[in-house]
C-alpha cells in the first residue's frame, strides 16, 4: 500500500511536534523514520496509526483519505517501544486477540496465530505469559500480533531500543526478513542511524518536527542536503572545519584550500565537512596543516586525531603508520564525501 | 559468621511476633466455633475447656429453630449478592470513565464525588430513608439494595489501579480494533483482578454485616437479614453463651468460606496479572 502524507502538522499545547510534513512511501518498502530523541517520530507514527489526530494536513492510504478514520478501523499493525503485550494473556492469546475482535472463528484464528508464531520463530513459546519471556521474544510476539490481522501497513516504534547490542543486530535482520517475506509496507522509527542505514529502502531524516531529507540510505550519506543530515549520518561522525570564502578563495581554519567553489557568499561563516574516509594525510601537497594529537584503534580501523586550527579532524591511517603525537601533517581531501555548508542556515553549497 | 547468626536470631524473633499476632487474630474465632459445640456445663467451666468433649449440634439446631434463621440467611444472601453485582458493575464503569475517558469537567466531578465521602453514613440515613419511603420500597429487600449499588470509595480505589495500567495497552488494543467496551472487559478488568477481588471482598463483608440500615429500613421479619437475627436471638434465645456462639458461627461462616475461596484468586491475580516495568 502506498502512503501519502500531505502537509501533516501536529501542535501540542505549546509545542509544534510535527511541522508541515509531506512525504510519499511506495508500496512494499521499508522506510526508516530517523531523527534525534524528541524530534516528533512517535508523534508522526501515532498520526499514521490513528492514535493521534493531526492538527492539519492529510494522510492517504493508496487512494483513500484516512485522516479522520479511527485507529481501530485503519487496519494498521503497530509495534510499541515497550511491546505493550497484554500481561494477563499467553503468547497465543496475545496473537489471537486482534482476530478475536474481528470475530474470526476460533479454529481459524488459532491456525493463523500459529502460522504467525512460526514466521517470527516463537512457536515453542505459545503458552508463556509475556513476563516469562526475554525482550527479544516479547518483541517477536509483538510483531506477530501486529501482523496476524494482515494489515496493509506495519509501524514499528523504536522496536529495538530495549534490546542489548547483539540482539539488536539480530532482530533488525529478522525484521527485514519478515518484512520481505510478506512484502508489507513498513515504517520503522529509530534514532540510531546505523540501524536505519542497514535495513531501509529509504530513510526519512527529521529534526524538530521538520523533514530534512528523504532518500535511499547511500544517497543520504553521499549527498546530504544540509549540515544536519551530514552530521547525523556516519560513524565516526563527519569532520567539521570552520571555513570562510574570501578574496576568491576558500580559507579553511585560516589556511588556503584548493577546493573548487562557486556561488559561495563572501565572508559568511561556513563549515567544510568531510567524511573521515575522505581525509588524506601527507599524500598531496597542501597548505592545510595539522598536528597529530593521538592515534587509536577501533576494531580493524586505525584512526588519528588531528588538531587543525580550532577544530579536531579524524582520519583513517595505515595500521603500520609511523605517525606520532605532536607530529605536523599535511591534509588534503578526496573529491567524494566533502561538503561545504553555511554555518548558520546549514544550507549546502558544494 | 557472627552476621549470619544475628540474621537467624532476628528471623526467629520475627516469626515469634508473627505467630503471636496470628494467634491473637484467630483465637476469638476459635473460641466462638468451639463454644458452639459445647454443652452449657462446659461453657461456664473454669479453667476453660479448649476442646469440647463431643461435637454436639444441638446448639446449631436450636439457633436455626428459634429465630427464622433460614429466612434471614436467604435475605442476607440475596441482598449481599445483588449489592455486589450492582456495585461492582457501577464501580468498574465509573473507574474506567474517570481513568480513561476524557470528558469536560472530569477531574472536578471526581473531586466533588470524593468530597462526598466526607459525609458520614449516619447523616445519609435520613435522606436515604426519605428516598425509599417516597419510592415506596420501604420494608422490602430493594430498600436494602438500592442505596448500596455504587460506591465512591471503591470507584476511587479501582480508578487508581486502572490509571496505573500503561496507556500503551489501550493504544495497542485500539490498533487491534478493540472498542472501549471490549477493552474494559477483556484487558482492564482481567488485569485489575487482584484489586477487584479485594474490593468485592470488602464490599461483601460490609453488606453481610450491615446492621444499622436494615434495622431502620425494614420492619417485618420476612425481609430482615442475619445481623438483625443475631441481635434478636440475644433477647429471644436468652443469654445462653453456647447458643449465641452457634448463631454467630452460622452468621460468620459464609464470610470465612468466601475469604478462603478468594484467597487463591488474590494470590493468583497478583502472580498472573502483575505488571512489569
Ligand atoms: N501528548 C503530548 N503533549 C505534549 N507534548 C508532547 C506530547 N507527546 C509528545 N510531545 C512532545 O512532542 C515532541 C515529539 O515527541 P515524540 O514524537 O515522542 O518524539 P520522538 O518519538 O521522536 O522521540 C517532544 O518534544 C515531546 O515532548
Ligand atoms: Mg518516540
Amino acid at each position: 500500500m502506498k502512503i501519502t502524507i500531505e502537509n501533516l502538522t501536529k501542535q501540542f499545547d505549546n509545542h509544534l511536534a510535527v511541522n508541515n510534513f509531506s512525504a510519499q512511501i511506495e508500496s512494499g518498502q521499508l522506510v526508516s523514520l530517523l531523527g534525534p530523541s524528541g524530534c516528533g517520530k512517535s508523534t508522526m507514527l501515532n498520526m499514521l496509526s490513528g492514535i493521534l489526530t493531526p492538527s492539519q494536513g492529510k494522510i492517504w492510504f493508496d487512494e483513500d483519505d484516512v485522516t479522520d478514520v479511527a485507529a481501530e478501523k485503519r487496519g494498521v499493525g503497530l509495534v510499541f517501544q515497550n511491546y505493550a503485550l497484554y500481561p494477563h494473556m499467553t503468547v497465543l492469546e496475545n496473537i489471537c486477540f486482534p482476530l478475536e475482535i474481528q470475530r474470526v472463528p476460533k479454529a481459524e484464528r488459532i491456525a493463523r496465530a500459529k502460522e504467525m508464531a512460526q514466521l517470527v520463530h516463537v512457536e515453542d513459546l505459545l503458552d508463556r505469559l509475556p513476563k516469562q519471556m526475554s525482550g527479544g521474544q516479547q518483541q517477536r510476539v509483538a510483531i506477530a500480533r501486529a501482523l496476524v490481522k494482515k494489515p496493509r501497513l506495519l509501524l514499528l516504534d523504536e522496536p529495538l531500543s530495549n534490546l542489548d547490542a547483539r540482539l539488536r543486530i539480530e532482530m533488525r535482520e529478522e525484521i527485514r526478513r519478515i518484512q520481505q517475506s510478506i512484502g508489507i509496507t513498513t515504517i520503522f522509527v529509530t534514532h540510531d542511524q546505523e540501524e536505519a542505514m542497514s535495513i531501509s529502502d529509504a530513510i526519512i531524516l527529521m529534526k524538530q518536527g521538520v523533514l530534512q531529507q528523504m532518500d535511499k540510505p547511500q544517497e543520504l550519506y553521499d549527498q546530504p542536503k544540509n549540515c544536519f543530515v551530514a552530521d547525523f549520518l556516519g560513524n565516526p561522525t563527519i569532520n567539521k572545519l570552520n571555513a570562510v570564502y574570501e578574496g576568491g578563495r576558500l580559507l579553511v581554519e585560516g589556511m588556503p584550500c584548493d577546493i573548487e567553489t562557486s556561488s559561495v557568499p563572501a565572508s559568511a561563516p561556513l563549515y567544510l565537512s568531510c567524511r573521515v574516509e575522505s581525509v588524506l594525510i601527507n599524500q598531496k601537497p597542501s597548505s592545510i596543516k595539522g598536528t597529530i594529537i593521538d592515534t587509536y584503534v577501533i576494531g580493524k580501523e586505525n584512526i588519528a586525531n588531528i588538531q587543525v586550527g580550532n577544530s579536531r579532524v579524524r582520519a583513517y591511517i595505515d595500521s603500520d603508520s609511523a605517525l606520532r603525537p605532536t607530529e605536523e601533517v599535511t591534509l588534503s581531501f578526496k573529491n567524494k564525501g566533502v561538503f561545504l555548508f553555511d554555518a548558520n542556515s546549514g544550507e549546502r553549497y558544494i | 559468621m557472627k552476621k549470619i547468626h544475628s540474621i537467624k536470631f532476628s528471623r526467629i524473633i520475627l516469626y515469634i511476633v508473627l505467630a503471636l499476632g496470628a494467634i491473637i487474630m484467630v483465637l476469638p474465632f476459635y473460641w466462638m466455633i468451639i463454644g458452639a459445640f459445647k454443652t452449657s456445663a462446659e461453657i461456664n467451666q473454669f479453667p476453660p475447656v479448649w476442646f469440647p468433649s463431643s461435637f454436639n449440634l444441638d446448639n446449631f439446631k436450636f439457633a436455626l429453630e428459634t429465630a427464622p434463621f433460614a429466612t434471614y440467611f436467604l435475605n442476607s444472601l440475596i441482598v449481599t449478592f445483588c449489592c455486589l453485582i450492582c456495585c461492582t458493575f457501577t464501580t468498574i464503569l465509573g473507574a474506567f470513565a474517570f481513568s480513561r475517558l476524557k470528558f469536560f469537567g472530569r477531574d472536578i466531578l471526581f473531586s466533588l464525588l470524593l468530597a462526598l465521602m466526607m459525609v458520614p453514613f449516619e447523616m445519609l440515613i435520613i435522606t436515604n430513608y426519605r428516598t425509599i419511603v417516597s419510592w415506596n420500597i420501604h420494608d422490602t429487600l430493594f430498600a436494602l439494595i438500592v442505596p448500596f449499588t455504587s460506591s465512591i470509595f471503591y470507584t476511587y480505589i479501582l480508578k487508581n489501579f486502572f490509571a496505573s495500567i500503561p496507556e500503551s495497552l489501550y493504544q495497542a488494543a485500539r490498533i487491534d480494533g478493540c472498542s472501549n467496551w471490549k477493552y474494559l472487559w477483556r484487558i482492564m478488568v482481567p488485569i485489575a483482578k487482584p484489586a477487584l477481588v479485594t474490593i468485592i471482598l470488602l464490599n461483601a463483608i460490609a453488606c453481610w454485616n450491615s446492621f444499622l440500615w436494615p434495622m431502620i429500613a425494614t420492619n417485618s421479619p420476612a425481609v430482615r437479614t442475619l445481623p438483625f437475627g443475631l441481635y434478636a436471638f440475644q433477647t429471644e434465645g436468652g443469654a445462653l453463651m453456647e447458643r449465641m456462639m452457634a448463631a454467630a458461627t452460622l452468621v460468620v461462616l459464609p464470610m470465612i468460606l468466601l475469604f478462603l475461596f478468594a484467597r487463591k484468586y488474590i494470590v493468583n491475580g497478583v502472580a498472573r496479572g502483575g505488571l512489569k516495568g
Side-chain angles (χ1 to χ4, degrees), chain B residues 80 84 88 154 193-209 254-267:
Chain B
T80 303
L84 279 186
T88 307
Y154 298 140
K193 210 154 127 197
L196 268 173
V197 170
T198 311
I199 286 173
I200 291 173
L201 270 182
L202 289 177
N203 203 4
I205 293 168
C207 287
W208 190 259
N209 292 341
M255 286 300 107
I256 294 179
L257 288 180
L258 186 66
F259 214 93
L260 292 177
F261 174 73
R263 202 183 55 135
K264 193 179 87 194
Y265 280 88
I266 296 176
V267 175

Side-chain angles (χ1 to χ4, degrees), chain A residues 36-43 45-46 81 157-158 189 191:
Chain A
S37 236
C39 73
K41 305 180 297 288
S42 299
T43 308
L45 212 62
N46 288 341
Q81 186 168 348
D157 193 352
E158 309 216 14
V189 164
H191 60 256

